[in-house]
Amino acid sequence: TIRRMSRIDFPIRAMVQYLQSSTLFSLYAPMRMHRMLDNELKIKSNRDKYTLAEMFKSLRSEVWQEVEKQQDVNSYRRELQRVHLKILIHMAIKSNNHFPRDAISLARADLEYLQKRISRLTKLQTLDSYTKAHMAENLSKIDAALTAQLPKEF
C-alpha cells in the first residue's frame, strides 16, 4: 500500500487511485444500495426519488464519459474505469455477494451497455496506444464476465 512504498517522490497516482477506489467502493456498498431500495418505497413522489437505477446510470456516464465522447483516456481516468469495472464484474458474477438482486441486474446491464460502446470504440484508429490497450483489456474482461457460468440460485 501507499505507506509501505520506498519511493522518495510523492506517489501521486497511488494517492489518486486510493481516493477514487474508496469513493466508488463507498457508493457501491451493499448496505447503501439496500437502503436506497428501501427509500424508493418510502418516498411517494417520483420527482423526489434518487433511485438505484439513477445512481448506476450517472456513475457509468461519469466514469466512462470518454467512451461516449470517443476520446483518449488519461492515466487517472483509466484507473478509475478499471476499479469501476472490477466492482461491476464482482457484483454481476460473484455468488452470495450480499448485493441486492436489483443491483446485480443493474451491474449486468451496465456491463452489456459498456460492451457495446467499447466494442465500437475499439474500431477507431484515432485513439492513443494507452487507450486502445485499455479498452481492449476492458472488453476482454467484460466478455469473460458476461459469458461466465453462473450458479443457479433460488
Side-chain angles (χ1 to χ4, degrees), residues 110-127:
D110 273 2
L111 290 171
E112 291 170 350
Y113 179 91
L114 289 170
Q115 182 185 43
K116 290 175 191 164
R117 297 303 188 282
I118 292 172
S119 183
R120 282 199 299 239
L121 185 67
T122 57
K123 294 177 179 134
L124 292 179
Q125 301 299 319
T126 57
L127 300 174

Side-chain angles (χ1 to χ4, degrees), residues 21-30 32-33 36 52 55 59:
S21 298
S22 59
T23 302
L24 279 179
F25 284 122
S26 174
L27 289 168
Y28 282 111
R32 177 186 306 272
M33 291 192 279
M36 287 181 75
L52 189 61
M55 184 188 85
L59 285 171

Side-chain angles (χ1 to χ4, degrees), residues 3-27:
R3 282 180 266 153
R4 294 187 211 146
M5 296 179 93
S6 59
R7 294 174 54 168
I8 58 172
D9 61 334
F10 185 75
I12 186 74
R13 287 175 42 116
M15 290 300 295
V16 170
Q17 178 186 359
Y18 171 77
L19 293 170
Q20 291 173 332
S21 298
S22 59
T23 302
L24 279 179
F25 284 122
S26 174
L27 289 168

Side-chain angles (χ1 to χ4, degrees), residues 50-65:
Y50 183 65
T51 66
L52 189 61
E54 287 176 286
M55 184 188 85
F56 269 76
K57 183 179 179 182
S58 62
L59 285 171
R60 184 191 69 226
S61 295
E62 288 302 318
V63 170
W64 297 92
Q65 61 185 268

